[in-house]
Amino acid sequence: MTGPRPAVYRDQDFPQDVVVYEVGPRDGLQAEATLVPTDVKVRFIKELVGAGLPLVEATSFVSPKWVPQLADAQEVLAELGDLIRHPVLVPNMRGLERARESGVKSIAVFASATETFAHRNLNAGRTAVCEMAAEVAAEALRSGMTVRGYVSMCFGDPWEGAVETKAVADVSRQLLDAGCYEISLGDTIGVATAAHVTALVNEHVAAGVPLNRLALHFHDTYGQGLSNVLAGLRAGITCFDASTGGIGGCPFAGSATGNLAMEELLWLLHGLGISTGVDLDAVVRAGQTITDFLGRPRSRIAMAMGH
Ligand code: HMG
Ligand code: MG
């Protein structure tokens, strides 16, 4: 069944196609206190891929002591079959070993623009965390994997406050030099506003980073997600992260709430006449699977569509 659609008004300044990168099964679930059974996670991932999402970050190979929710990463991957091509998050060499044993082809490594969050998220300083990510990236590339890089706390940090755009671009540069094909700039606590997004993208361009090597990763804590996407589009970005159902948060950043909802991102992009290759109705149904299981409200678009 096909639900309502936005009317299409194209803005010639925007790209024809955008890549949407789904983080729900990883970023969305990692902070959930109720353990989600492996079969529910696998069903969620399969529904997301079935909806046409080209990249679904399936889980993470972090320490199960730090993130018990994703302790079943091996079990999840064992159920994925061909879908094993989708990426997983890896913090260190131990995580890479586990991912390799599971047949993973694509990973994402992560670092922090701030010192405090590097400690809180990875138990090491900003420089050490960056070196660890670079070491993991190099080894993963040697194994024939593709590697994405995340930088967290790109727009503000709950402990350190404002974050300089240059500090972020320095970390991005190190991850690119380590061989990451793309850097996703994370607004971990959702404090970014539109002109700040423009400034951060421009800082990267000035540092020689090509626009097609950047992605934007918004959490919607302060309701700025979509206006930040629009600013990103205007600045020339063509890859955006989001989580179906708007679930998510980071267990190590107290004020991080849900990611930008994939349903809302798709409504905006499709209304702008930008192709994503994704079936919005199928994403809405996948969102329902997970929000109903978690007992969370459905996304605004699911509710508007009468789901
Ligand atoms: P540590 O405690 O310093 O690590 O944590 P350790 O090396 O001392 O190891 C402690 C224990 O964990 C040991 O076991 C290790 O073997 C084990 P024990 O000897 O005590 O039995 N261990 C592991 N087990 C399985 N897989 C592993 C692994 N590593 C160690 N990979 C560590 C350091 C990096 C492990 C820890 O800090 C960690 O796992 N952090 C991950 C935190 C995390 O997942 N954060 C959320 C993801 S990032 C995010 O959400 C932001 C993002 O969305 C973008 C944005 O929004 O900004 C990407
Ligand atoms: Mg995140």
Side-chain angles (χ1 to χ4, degrees), residues 26-27 30 61 63 65 92 98 121 123 152 188 217:
R26 194 275 305 167
D27 208 349
Q30 68 189 7
F61 284 88
S63 168
K65 292 187 176 143
N92 57 9
R98 290 173 61 215
N121 201 35
N123 205 22
S152 285
T188 319
H217 174 106

Side-chain angles (χ1 to χ4, degrees), residues 23 26-27 30 150 152 186-188 217-219 249-250 256-257 259:
V23 293
R26 194 275 305 167
D27 208 349
Q30 68 189 7
Y150 283 103
S152 285
D187 183 14
T188 319
H217 174 106
F218 296 119
H219 287 252
C250 179
T257 60
N259 291 80

Side-chain angles (χ1 to χ4, degrees), residues 31 117 120-121 153 157-159 188-189 221-222 248-258:
F117 188 64
R120 294 215 169 219
N121 201 35
M153 296 296 174
D157 173 291
W159 302 280
T188 319
I189 54 169
T221 321
Y222 293 87
C250 179
F252 309 105
S255 49
T257 60

Side-chain angles (χ1 to χ4, degrees), residues 12 82 116 126 142 145 150 168 171 194 205 214 226 252 282:
Q12 296 309 323
D82 281 355
T116 313
R126 182 175 176 268
R142 274 193 289 276
M145 298 178 182
Y150 283 103
V168 180
V171 178
V205 171
L214 290 177
L226 285 182
F252 309 105

Side-chain angles (χ1 to χ4, degrees), residues 230-260:
L230 207 56
L233 284 170
R234 284 204 196 289
I237 299 297
T238 55
C239 180
F240 296 91
D241 301 357
S243 105
T244 291
I247 56 173
C250 179
F252 309 105
S255 49
T257 60
N259 291 80
L260 170 65

Side-chain angles (χ1 to χ4, degrees), residues 154-274:
C154 292
F155 295 89
D157 173 291
W159 302 280
E160 296 183 20
V163 177
E164 294 297 324
T165 53
K166 182 164 181 328
V168 180
D170 286 348
V171 178
S172 299
R173 171 48 63 199
Q174 288 173 61
L175 294 182
L176 282 171
D177 290 348
C180 293
Y181 73 88
E182 172 179 272
I183 305 300
S184 178
L185 303 172
D187 183 14
T188 319
I189 54 169
V191 291
T193 50
H196 194 166
V197 173
T198 315
L200 186 62
V201 173
N202 289 346
E203 180 79 52
H204 282 76
V205 171
V209 178
L211 286 166
N212 65 4
R213 308 276 305 270
L214 290 177
L216 291 169
H217 174 106
F218 296 119
H219 287 252
D220 210 16
T221 321
Y222 293 87
Q224 303 300 301
L226 285 182
S227 63
N228 289 336
V229 169
L230 207 56
L233 284 170
R234 284 204 196 289
I237 299 297
T238 55
C239 180
F240 296 91
D241 301 357
S243 105
T244 291
I247 56 173
C250 179
F252 309 105
S255 49
T257 60
N259 291 80
L260 170 65
M262 182 59 81
E263 295 90 327
E264 294 179 16
L265 175 63
L266 293 172
W267 188 274
L268 172 70
L269 296 174
H270 294 174
L272 289 167
I274 297 171

Side-chain angles (χ1 to χ4, degrees), residues 24-32 36 41 69-70 247 290 294:
R26 194 275 305 167
D27 208 349
L29 292 183
Q30 68 189 7
E32 284 295 331
V36 180
K41 291 173 180 162
Q69 179 65 259
L70 302 181
I247 56 173
I290 203 66
L294 296 171

